[in-house]
Amino acid sequence: MALMNFRRDAAPDAAADLGPVPAFLDGFSIEVMPRTAAGVEDFSAILPAGTRVYIAHIDGTPIADMVACAARLRREGFEPMPHFPARLIASEAILRDWVNRYKAEAGVHQALLLGGGVNTPAGDYTSAMQMLESGAFDGFTRLHMAGHPEGNRDIDSDGGDAIALQALRLKQDWAARSDAKMAIVTQFCFEPAPVIAWVDKLASLGIHLPVHIGIAGPAKLQTLVKFAIACGVGPSLRVLQRRARDVTKLLLPFEPGEMVAALAAHKAANPAFGIESVHFFPLGGIKTAATWVAEHTKGETA
């Protein structure tokens, strides 16, 4: 994705003006793809040292490119967390090869395990749970799993959430037997209410894995609508639809300020609330997203 220059609202003058937002954003993560990472000259110029950077695995991307991206991030002082999409992995031998290459060449010990989102699996794996049970990730210090506050019809074709919730229960049971820290990282949403309701529902069902909430970074409205439809974002898409009806805002970037502020306020008022961290999807460019975070944590531009 290209790095774009967007007109912005005035940046906050200081972190003190932002209420609970800076604390809520502390320790945020972000993701890249090898081709988007290639457009960033120096990650240390735009991200805090030690930031966890997910490496999205798009079907067709050579594993050599993925590992090289992870190795670069490690050299520049960041924590690479590559995606492992189950349905794109043809065999256990390939899974173990990927894991071993990441470990040997990039010092990787954290991973995001996903179903993969394709209809026809490349091999025997169809779920993150199967990869966990393979033992390939034994010794990893942190493993994250996908969550979907607004549902996922690839998992629950009826539009419900029974299968997805059962999968999270199984992963929590596995976490209790593992030394790895585990968390749920979610798809992005645009409205806080469905997120708050979903996180509260998990807690009511006894699912206590920490949640890393997905937030879409600043981007053109058209870009966000395109990704939202492709990714199955449901109820909160209406936030973008309302924005689209205001022609005065069509050329301005949509920023996540209201969403982040609402969740930060809820977390501050309810410290036990299950969101532990924020994960940014830089749909308008990684530099744009990183700059927005810097403005809302320190009042500075990265």
Side-chain angles (χ1 to χ4, degrees):
M1 60 188 75
L3 300 181
M4 304 174 188
N5 292 320
F6 292 133
R7 174 183 160 191
R8 298 179 163 275
D9 295 332
D13 291 331
D17 299 328
L18 297 170
V21 168
F24 188 66
L25 293 177
D26 186 46
F28 76 94
S29 60
I30 199 164
E31 71 179 52
V32 299
M33 296 178 287
R35 67 176 180 84
T36 57
V40 179
E41 183 176 348
D42 181 5
F43 277 96
S44 64
I46 63 172
L47 293 175
T51 298
R52 180 177 297 116
V53 182
Y54 292 63
I55 306 173
H57 195 124
I58 306 301
D59 193 11
T61 304
I63 187 60
D65 293 353
M66 302 288 297
V67 174
C69 183
R72 177 198 168 182
L73 288 165
R74 175 67 72 198
R75 288 193 305 271
E76 294 185 12
F78 300 96
E79 189 62 60
M81 178 178 259
H83 291 194
F84 287 84
R87 290 171 174 257
L88 300 184
I89 299 173
S91 67
E92 182 173 334
I94 289 176
L95 173 61
R96 290 184 178 276
D97 176 64
W98 288 13
V99 170
N100 289 336
R101 291 178 68 174
Y102 275 122
K103 289 165 64 176
E105 299 176 39
V108 165
H109 51 82
Q110 303 189 11
L112 171 63
L113 277 57
L114 304 164
V118 297
N119 292 328
T120 304
D124 296 332
Y125 293 121
T126 60
S127 71
M129 196 69 214
Q130 290 172 314
M131 292 191 293
L132 278 178
E133 292 172 340
S134 74
F137 295 94
D138 290 355
F140 271 53
T141 60
R142 179 175 285 275
L143 296 168
H144 288 183
M145 306 292 149
H148 305 276
E150 298 182 356
N152 183 338
R153 287 189 176 271
D154 288 340
I155 300 172
D156 288 276
S157 58
D158 63 358
D161 60 5
I163 297 174
L165 290 174
Q166 178 58 22
L168 290 178
R169 289 189 185 94
L170 292 173
K171 291 163 187 172
Q172 178 166 279
D173 291 344
W174 191 91
R177 305 190 300 271
S178 171
D179 293 331
K181 294 181 180 179
M182 292 185 66
I184 302 166
V185 60
T186 80
Q187 185 54 274
F188 56 86
C189 302
F190 299 103
E191 192 171 34
V195 169
I196 292 170
W198 182 76
V199 174
D200 286 345
K201 181 175 183 177
L202 294 185
S204 72
L205 295 173
I207 299 172
H208 298 295
L209 292 173
V211 173
H212 292 207
I213 188 66
I215 297 290
K220 289 181 178 178
L221 188 62
Q222 300 95 312
T223 299
L224 294 180
V225 170
K226 179 183 73 173
F227 277 104
I229 292 171
C231 296
V233 173
S236 70
L237 182 59
R238 60 194 172 196
V239 172
L240 301 185
Q241 293 168 334
R242 288 197 298 268
R243 174 72 171 249
R245 289 195 291 268
D246 186 344
V247 294
T248 66
K249 296 180 179 179
L250 283 177
L251 298 180
L252 298 177
F254 184 92
E255 299 192 354
E258 291 184 12
M259 174 77 168
V260 169
L263 293 176
H266 188 79
K267 176 70 175 179
N270 303 275
F273 182 60
I275 291 182
E276 175 183 74
S277 187
V278 176
H279 175 64
F280 281 93
F281 293 84
L283 303 182
I286 187 168
K287 186 174 182 180
T288 300
T291 298
W292 188 92
V293 176
E295 290 173 349
H296 290 77
T297 51
K298 300 177 182 178
E300 301 171 354
T301 301

